[in-house]
Amino acid sequence: MGRSPCCEKAHTNKGAWTKEEDQRLINYIRTHGEGCWRSLPKSAGLLRCGKSCRLRWINYLRPDLKRGNFTDEEDELIIKLHSLLGNKWSLIAGRLPGRTDNEIKNYWNTHIKRKLLTRGLDPQTHRPLNCKNSITGPITSICITPNNTNPNPITSITNNVVSDVYFNAKPNNWNTSEPPNLAEAATSGSGTTEESVSQSHSQSQTQQEEQKQYLDLNLELSISLPFQPQQQGSAAESKQEQQQQRREGQKSPNQKICVCYNLGFQSGNVCDCQARARMVISSDNLHRFLIPLDA
DNA sequence: AATCCCCGCAACCGCCGCAGT
DNA sequence: AACTGCGGCGGTTGCGGGGAT
């Protein structure tokens, strides 16, 4: 059995809102404030579902909404945030004052997707479309190399890395034992809750600047061509090698390595690699989680 | 002028996480 | 620990406007 409906559907209006309904909702929230959406319709004299009232207020009636077209700066910010956060529209909206998640989602689907395609980029992965080695799906494999000196830093761990993302630059104050919390940096600042706002206010300016630096750094990361091992020998030999790697606990072709944890994407935050990982490899102060693709 | 088609956007739906009991 | 209810989120739908034929 599923959950009971949030309201009595037989007695609720659906579809476009009338001016009168809008006015009732505005008047009610001006007097009583937001909250308790379930009981709001009855109290406000609206024949609407509470969810519908909430959506109408948040996406259309809220006084602090910014109207008008998106600016180029907003476009680029959305693209950068999407490359970091994926389809986390509410998080992205939190970084764009006056914009709603629904608005950004629509804008993404109607404008930015096309914009990225004309740039030759995959809107989901932000990788070049014509990259013959490109993989589908979100980036889950990240590798940090000090000063990017090692072109293939985890070859020693695995012979079959699907793809890697490298940071090209490493700030002088980057301490791999105390990684920046990128997820927090991404959501702080213009956070949507009072709590997050108060948290961000309580941070020292230096800390905020550091976080911004890390966020910018992450957003500006360059993506390397996926490492593809040279195919040598017969197919039988290759299969034998793969079986050998599995026996030895090494990464097989249908596994990915993630070091998100070291970037601050700790479990329960953005990345759940730690929870899903079947194996952890630690080296150079980095924890690399092996995650089967079918997990 | 009429029809068709495409696009943008508001709204809905179902699921999920969390807090309260 | 299990259950319930609510708010919030992301995916999807469908309507209306405008351009093309």
Side-chain angles (χ1 to χ4, degrees):
Chain A
M1 280 292 285
R3 163 193 300 276
S4 61
C6 66
C7 52
E8 187 56 57
K9 294 195 175 188
H11 301 102
T12 56
N13 292 340
K14 289 176 77 174
W17 280 63
T18 64
K19 285 186 177 179
E20 188 190 342
E21 285 177 313
D22 281 349
Q23 203 53 54
R24 277 180 186 269
L25 183 57
I26 292 168
N27 290 343
Y28 183 85
I29 292 179
R30 274 184 186 157
T31 310
H32 301 92
E34 290 181 44
C36 202
W37 295 107
R38 190 180 171 87
S39 62
L40 184 147
K42 197 177 177 185
S43 307
L46 287 163
L47 293 174
R48 289 275 178 177
C49 168
K51 276 186 168 187
S52 181
C53 294
R54 177 185 160 270
L55 225 55
R56 182 66 178 171
W57 173 255
I58 287 176
N59 289 330
Y60 200 78
L61 299 175
R62 241 171 51 196
D64 59 332
L65 288 180
K66 190 189 283 184
R67 301 284 180 194
N69 297 334
F70 282 77
T71 64
D72 289 342
E73 289 75 21
E74 284 176 315
D75 275 18
E76 292 307 314
L77 183 56
I78 291 170
I79 291 169
K80 283 185 177 183
L81 288 168
H82 186 272
S83 71
L84 172 64
L85 301 167
N87 294 359
K88 303 287 180 191
W89 306 118
S90 60
L91 284 179
I92 294 173
R95 303 285 297 184
L96 285 113
R99 302 294 189 186
T100 70
D101 53 358
N102 204 40
E103 191 179 12
I104 292 171
K105 179 173 59 183
N106 284 333
Y107 187 64
W108 176 270
N109 287 325
T110 55
H111 292 89
I112 300 185
K113 258 187 181 176
R114 204 178 305 152
K115 192 173 180 175
L116 288 178
L117 286 171
T118 59
R119 291 181 188 176
L121 296 172
D122 184 322
Q124 277 309 310
T125 64
H126 296 258
R127 296 181 149 207
L129 282 168
N130 59 0
C131 176
K132 64 178 181 180
N133 290 326
S134 67
I135 58 170
T136 57
I139 297 167
T140 63
S141 174
I142 301 174
C143 188
I144 304 173
T145 65
N147 302 321
N148 198 28
T149 51
N150 185 346
N152 186 20
I154 51 180
T155 313
S156 59
I157 298 171
T158 169
N159 290 325
N160 285 293
V161 180
V162 176
S163 70
D164 300 316
V165 178
Y166 297 94
F167 283 82
N168 258 348
K170 171 178 170 288
N172 293 332
N173 58 348
W174 185 291
N175 181 351
T176 51
S177 65
E178 294 181 48
N181 191 332
L182 293 174
E184 187 181 325
T187 54
S188 68
S190 56
T192 52
T193 65
E194 285 184 13
E195 190 186 8
S196 65
V197 169
S198 93
Q199 278 176 352
S200 70
H201 285 178
S202 67
Q203 290 172 331
S204 72
Q205 197 167 347
T206 311
Q207 280 177 318
Q208 287 185 27
E209 283 173 6
E210 280 175 7
Q211 286 194 338
K212 184 175 182 298
Q213 179 189 359
Y214 288 134
L215 178 62
D216 288 346
L217 177 71
N218 186 68
L219 293 172
E220 297 293 347
L221 59 79
S222 67
I223 299 173
S224 73
L225 285 173
F227 166 67
Q228 293 289 332
Q230 289 184 339
Q231 298 297 327
Q232 292 174 341
S234 66
E237 283 171 352
S238 173
K239 199 175 176 181
Q240 219 171 0
E241 278 177 19
Q242 287 174 16
Q243 286 173 346
Q244 177 70 13
Q245 284 161 14
R246 286 194 184 94
R247 278 196 296 273
E248 292 172 6
Q250 290 183 338
K251 190 171 171 298
S252 67
N254 62 342
Q255 288 179 320
K256 292 181 181 180
I257 282 180
C258 180
V259 292
C260 302
Y261 185 75
N262 291 83
L263 301 177
F265 294 127
Q266 298 173 14
S267 60
N269 228 329
V270 172
C271 176
D272 63 347
C273 293
Q274 189 187 18
R276 293 190 296 135
R278 298 256 176 90
M279 184 189 305
V280 179
I281 298 170
S282 297
S283 67
D284 305 331
N285 292 327
L286 294 177
H287 302 298
R288 298 178 170 113
F289 303 111
L290 286 183
I291 305 149
L293 284 178
D294 56 2

